[in-house]
Amino acid sequence: MSKSLNLFGGTALGTIAVLTMAVNFADRNIAGFPDNPAVMTAIAPPVLSGGLVGAANASTGAGEGTFGLGRPALPEEIAAWDVDVSPDGTGLPVGSGSVEDGEMVFSENCAVCHGEFAEGVGNWPELAGGDGTLANDDPVKTVGSYWPYLSTAWDYIHRSMPYGSAQTLSDDDVYAIVAYILYSNFLVEDDFVLSNENFLEVEMPNANGFIVDDRAESEYPMWRTEPCMENCKDSVEITMRASVLNVTPEDEAAETAEEVIEAAAVASETEAEPEVAAAVAEAEPAADAVDPALVAAGEKVFGKCKACHQVGDGAKNRVGPILNGIVGADIASVDGFKYSKTLEGMDGAWTADSLAAFLEDPRGFAKGTKMSFAGLKSAEDIAAVTAYLASFE
Amino acid sequence: MSDMLKPSRRAFLRGSAAAAAGLTAAGAARANEPDPLITEVQDWAMSFGDGVDATPYGLPIQYESDVVRRNVEWLTADTTSSINFTPIHALDGTITPQGCAFERHHSGAIELRKEDYRLMINGLVDTPLVFTYADLERFPRENHVYFCECAANTGMEWAGAQLNGAQFTHGMIHNMEYTGVSLRTLLGEAGLKAAGDLSDKWVYVEGADASSNGRSIPMDKALDDVLVAFKANGEALRKEHGYPVRLVVPGWEGNLWVKWIRRIEVTANAVESREETSKYTDTLEDGTSRKWTWVMDAKSVVTSPSPQSPITHGAGPLVITGLAWSGHGAITRVDVSKDGGKTWETARLAKPGEKMALTRFYLDTEWNGEDMLLQSRAMDETGYVQPTKAQLREVRGENSIYHNNCIQTWHVKPNGEAENVEVS
């Protein structure tokens, strides 16, 4: 045991090796690409001289003198977890997806945050556009304008999207979504089909836009100097103040206290309100004339909610609560679901009006709600989805 | 409820301004009236306080309820993929308590039981292995104190002075004592002969949460000082810091410190994951971007006085204090300027600097009650001197987002208030 530890060397040696590595990066940049030293086109792993890996290489084998802890990983286990995809296509499963299919899958699973055209909603990332903006004051970094490798998009969508329902997409759906994102960036035509076979043929516009960290060359020599201690400047003027922008959060302790006091006052003033709300809730289902067309339209709108909510037979709480019988139910009353404090603290029921207000602007209606949904812009969509939800008891 | 009666920061500042105005002369003021806190018997001197077990796991006393992490809501779309900030303006020493150490999640802080925890090592190894939490506890352990700084710390300040408080400008940092197993040991257990020449190999590390937050780390670093840690400051990692097991990558950007780490794969190349291409890459003025900018360069900030920690005692003796750190090794010196960088004096380090750990500095000084433009400037053992914002902008422009280690300026006014400013 101590043998293998000794062979790998101590920390003091390690620090030297890391510094050497940084210098080697710079050397490689300059020597390898004299015409265009700033741009590296290939993946260049660090070239190392000696250091820890040298010591490890010299070892007769790192498997020696082990502790005998852990157990061999089974092939099925490795297959389940080792799903990363590399720029050379390593890890890509067999499959394909078209732009056309991608548009639908994207609309259902991604558009809630990323917009129907991958343009981004609110503060959520935009995935398309930004071509030629990287040198601007405000660069727009999207899959099209910035991402150097297509494998990154496939890997990330497959592993971590949709947000809140990761790892629920089929491989073909992932191909389709990636194809649609390429299309949204005008990088492929509308009849394009992406597959594991043509994956590496797609050219990413910013593939050559990256250099390996060059601080050791471009910065450190300038800033490893004896610093000035006296008469370092002739004059000093304030050129900018944070108070001008005024974007710093206020003292939350004081603010929260004020909010609590205000909320308490409001609550005592309007104690009658829950009854009013309940009365409205009762009145709602009485308007029994269900419009099948509206319910059908609502089912379509509900596609935007499906990533997080289930409704109907066998529905379960997922990222969001089960929505059976939600219209008319008390706010935050679904068993076994952990609501935000805000919703939990709200009195009243989900009436057509309160649902509409919530769906139009979730965080405006319930500041702090965990529902990460930008909101439905159209009143028709809201009416439709409400009718659809009301059709489930 | 009683903390609701605390004066707001504004009221506090008004009070301090009055105090500053009233106290023009340095030295102890004479008391005109006896202090009732001394002359009258107080409740706490007569009756009981809490017994043991009142709080089986203690929290700070109610009077410190403002020393908490804070979020800047407009920065991100949602709190599950977001960041908050350590209240560095209110802390002293160097160790950050876990409960107020900044959080950065890409898919929220998950709850993963030790019993359900598995760590897989696969790829170019002799025997792919699976470890349980109990397995990890049977390897030789190490203890180290390291800072963890998000690459985006101070990132909102590239284009100008923006956020008014050290917590917000520099609070994406914490410093803890970690207990864990060296990654070198675990890789050795799986065996690296299969990897052949290690000099161009990598490890790809990923978490168990929905974001996975995969990152590629060159083998040289992996075999150097990377820890697979399960304790911080003596106790289990808090949920938000990766319970039960996280990666610790000393001196390198926080995004590499994968929480809830579930898999370590030895690879021939960098995976070029989302977090190492579309994010955590630094765009320069010409639109080219740096990648693999892992090391956090030397940096420092005055934590007090600062906008959230104004001077409340008027002219006279003043402790100026702050933090310094470097991903290249130990801090060797910190200089402080009161005039925006015209003249500097060397501060006192509370202890000699430690490698890749926070260093506390003090300048024990006399304040004459006049305006100050307070700055601090760190130097590390490689001789690197923390640059000004102008120096950084000259090389990188204003769009880098990450790795802003510029010298910070606080304008301290005669009433003791401080503001985040930029100076020529």
Side-chain angles (χ1 to χ4, degrees):
Chain A
M1 119 187 176
S2 59
K3 183 180 164 200
S4 79
L5 289 176
N6 287 340
L7 279 171
F8 282 117
T11 34
L13 174 61
T15 306
I16 293 159
V18 171
L19 296 174
T20 312
M21 184 178 75
V23 172
N24 279 342
F25 270 157
D27 286 346
R28 189 182 168 93
N29 261 337
I30 303 264
F33 298 86
D35 296 333
N36 193 0
V39 178
M40 295 276 293
T41 52
I43 303 166
V47 176
L48 301 158
S49 48
L52 291 158
V53 293
N57 281 334
S59 125
T60 50
E64 266 184 25
T66 54
F67 299 85
L69 293 171
R71 60 161 178 86
L74 300 178
E76 300 91 325
E77 293 172 331
I78 296 172
W81 275 10
D82 186 354
V83 294
D84 54 87
V85 178
S86 291
D88 65 1
T90 305
L92 267 183
V94 173
S96 68
S98 66
V99 170
E100 201 183 341
D101 290 345
E103 183 170 10
M104 224 155 62
V105 183
F106 190 90
S107 176
E108 276 180 23
N109 293 285
C110 321
V112 151
C113 301
H114 297 293
E116 289 292 339
F117 306 101
E119 78 281 14
V121 173
N123 238 351
W124 297 101
E126 46 206 316
L127 307 178
D131 182 30
T133 65
L134 296 181
N136 294 1
D137 283 347
D138 196 8
V140 178
K141 297 181 175 181
T142 71
V143 177
S145 70
Y146 193 62
W147 293 35
Y149 306 106
L150 192 58
S151 57
T152 309
W154 204 100
D155 179 67
Y156 184 67
I157 294 164
H158 178 239
R159 179 67 180 80
S160 300
M161 289 287 119
Y163 193 65
S165 303
Q167 305 190 73
T168 58
L169 296 166
S170 71
D171 290 349
D172 285 348
D173 279 352
V174 177
Y175 278 107
I177 290 171
V178 173
Y180 179 69
I181 293 171
L182 288 171
Y183 171 72
S184 302
N185 280 286
F186 306 109
L187 296 174
V188 297
E189 299 298 322
D190 58 4
D191 59 355
F192 179 74
V193 179
L194 181 69
S195 72
N196 56 303
E197 281 167 15
N198 66 1
F199 198 87
L200 297 182
E201 291 164 22
V202 179
E203 285 180 25
M204 299 297 279
N206 197 41
N208 296 335
F210 291 80
I211 58 168
V212 170
D213 186 1
D214 67 345
R215 284 176 292 175
E217 216 289 314
S218 61
E219 297 181 2
Y220 298 162
M222 276 193 290
W223 300 335
R224 281 182 178 144
T225 53
E226 191 54 34
C228 172
M229 295 301 282
E230 279 179 4
N231 303 316
C232 303
K233 297 174 182 178
D234 291 335
S235 69
V236 174
E237 302 296 331
I238 292 175
T239 54
M240 191 163 179
R241 295 174 176 276
S243 61
V244 174
L245 289 171
N246 196 25
V247 290
T248 309
E250 280 296 312
D251 186 322
E252 280 172 17
E255 212 182 308
T256 312
E258 278 163 28
E259 273 173 22
V260 171
I261 292 162
E262 274 171 31
V266 172
S268 65
E269 276 168 31
T270 59
E271 244 164 42
E273 205 177 15
E275 281 164 43
V276 177
V280 174
E282 267 169 42
E284 279 302 319
D288 238 344
V290 178
D291 177 357
L294 194 62
V295 171
E299 187 176 5
K300 212 170 158 208
V301 177
F302 190 71
K304 298 188 178 186
C305 321
K306 274 203 298 205
C308 305
H309 291 284
Q310 293 189 344
V311 70
D313 286 341
K316 289 182 191 152
N317 287 333
R318 295 182 72 202
V319 174
I322 184 173
L323 295 180
N324 292 344
I326 196 73
V327 180
D330 287 342
I331 291 174
S333 62
V334 172
D335 279 346
F337 187 80
K338 213 173 147 204
Y339 288 90
S340 64
K341 286 205 184 85
T342 317
L343 279 180
E344 196 113 66
M346 278 187 172
D347 288 323
W350 287 122
T351 66
D353 285 348
S354 59
L355 254 187
F358 184 53
L359 292 178
E360 192 189 348
D361 181 9
R363 270 164 286 189
F365 179 83
K367 187 168 178 277
T369 178
K370 294 198 286 185
M371 188 162 97
S372 57
F373 178 62
L376 290 169
K377 295 291 160 273
S378 119
E380 282 143 44
D381 281 358
I382 291 172
V385 83
T386 305
Y388 174 67
L389 289 174
S391 72
F392 294 93
E393 302 251 323
Chain B
M1 290 297 279
S2 56
D3 54 350
M4 280 171 29
L5 304 174
K6 279 167 55 72
S8 73
R9 188 166 65 91
R10 297 248 152 123
F12 178 64
L13 286 171
R14 280 195 296 276
S16 69
L23 264 179
T24 44
R30 279 184 73 90
N32 296 321
E33 302 281 334
D35 185 345
L37 282 167
I38 297 171
T39 56
E40 291 171 17
V41 179
Q42 303 296 314
D43 284 351
W44 58 80
M46 291 190 286
S47 53
F48 296 125
D50 286 343
V52 297
D53 294 345
T55 319
Y57 194 105
L59 285 169
I61 195 166
Q62 55 183 323
Y63 313 124
E64 296 295 315
S65 63
D66 59 325
V67 184
V68 290
R69 298 184 277 234
R70 289 188 176 83
N71 176 15
V72 177
E73 276 188 27
W74 54 263
L75 271 180
T76 53
D78 182 274
T79 54
T80 51
S81 179
S82 191
I83 190 150
N84 59 20
F85 302 82
T86 309
I88 54 171
H89 64 285
L91 302 177
D92 212 320
T94 57
I95 295 294
T96 315
Q98 287 202 64
C100 69
F102 85 96
E103 307 168 76
R104 169 60 166 131
H105 315 308
H106 294 251
S107 248
I110 58 168
E111 293 190 353
L112 176 55
R113 301 190 318 153
K114 282 178 187 168
E115 293 80 357
D116 298 337
Y117 177 79
R118 301 290 182 272
L119 175 64
M120 182 186 289
I121 298 189
N122 74 314
L124 304 173
V125 294
D126 302 340
T127 313
L129 292 176
V130 173
F131 298 114
T132 62
Y133 183 87
D135 290 334
L136 293 182
E137 285 190 311
R138 298 173 66 192
F139 286 101
R141 271 171 242 170
E142 298 182 10
N143 282 205
H144 299 280
V145 176
Y146 293 123
F147 75 81
C148 172
E149 184 184 19
C150 176
N153 200 18
T154 322
M156 290 84 79
E157 306 290 310
W158 272 110
Q162 180 157 242
L163 288 166
N164 211 17
Q167 179 169 23
F168 301 111
T169 56
H170 289 76
M172 295 181 196
I173 192 162
H174 57 63
N175 191 63
M176 302 189 198
E177 184 196 43
Y178 295 96
T179 301
V181 179
S182 117
L183 177 54
R184 184 172 63 240
T185 302
L186 297 181
L187 289 171
E189 187 72 6
L192 290 173
K193 269 191 286 187
D197 181 3
L198 294 177
S199 65
D200 61 354
K201 297 303 184 295
W202 297 73
V203 295
Y204 177 71
V205 291
E206 70 178 24
D209 64 317
S211 80
S212 92
N213 197 78
R215 288 291 306 252
S216 308
I217 298 174
M219 183 61 83
D220 190 64
K221 181 70 173 177
L223 293 177
D224 180 7
D225 53 6
V226 176
L227 271 188
V228 174
F230 36 82
K231 294 280 168 70
N233 299 342
E235 62 178 358
L237 288 163
R238 295 283 172 90
K239 172 173 74 173
E240 65 270 31
H241 299 304
Y243 180 93
V245 183
R246 84 171 307 166
L247 203 65
V248 168
V249 190
W252 287 22
E253 62 188 20
N255 183 256
L256 295 153
W257 297 45
V258 174
K259 296 189 284 195
W260 314 290
I261 185 159
R262 78 166 195 186
R263 198 169 67 90
I264 297 162
E265 179 184 0
V266 177
T267 61
N269 296 111
V271 168
E272 304 282 4
S273 71
R274 183 223 192 214
E275 307 297 334
E276 55 201 15
T277 53
S278 79
K279 306 288 174 189
Y280 303 98
T281 46
D282 318 356
T283 301
L284 304 172
E285 196 150 30
D286 67 356
T288 307
S289 302
R290 288 176 178 161
K291 69 172 183 178
W292 302 346
T293 47
W294 300 304
V295 183
M296 302 309 295
D297 291 329
K299 185 167 172 179
S300 68
V301 64
V302 171
T303 52
S304 180
S306 66
Q308 296 160 289
S309 178
I311 302 174
T312 58
H313 52 59
L318 169 70
V319 174
I320 296 172
T321 185
L323 293 165
W325 60 95
S326 169
H328 289 285
I331 290 294
T332 51
R333 182 174 130 190
V334 179
D335 299 325
V336 170
S337 173
K338 297 174 188 167
D339 57 12
K342 274 190 215 171
T343 53
W344 296 84
E345 41 194 319
T346 298
R348 169 170 68 86
L349 304 187
K351 284 193 294 185
E354 293 169 24
K355 282 181 188 301
M356 282 85 95
L358 292 189
T359 297
R360 170 67 57 180
F361 66 85
Y362 296 103
L363 186 71
D364 309 301
T365 189
E366 194 81 14
W367 183 42
N368 59 11
E370 291 174 5
D371 288 87
M372 288 190 287
L373 291 169
L374 268 188
Q375 298 183 332
S376 64
R377 181 177 68 191
M379 283 179 74
D380 70 21
E381 61 180 295
T382 72
Y384 178 97
V385 182
Q386 183 182 2
T388 63
K389 209 185 271 189
Q391 285 175 309
L392 282 173
R393 284 177 181 154
E394 206 169 304
V395 180
R396 306 188 199 167
E398 291 183 3
N399 282 335
S400 281
I401 304 175
Y402 306 104
H403 294 281
N404 183 351
N405 65 323
C406 70
I407 290 172
Q408 170 68 42
T409 311
W410 305 127
H411 174 205
V412 181
K413 298 161 198 178
N415 68 2
E417 280 187 53
E419 184 184 3
N420 176 12
V421 299
E422 243 178 66
V423 295
S424 58

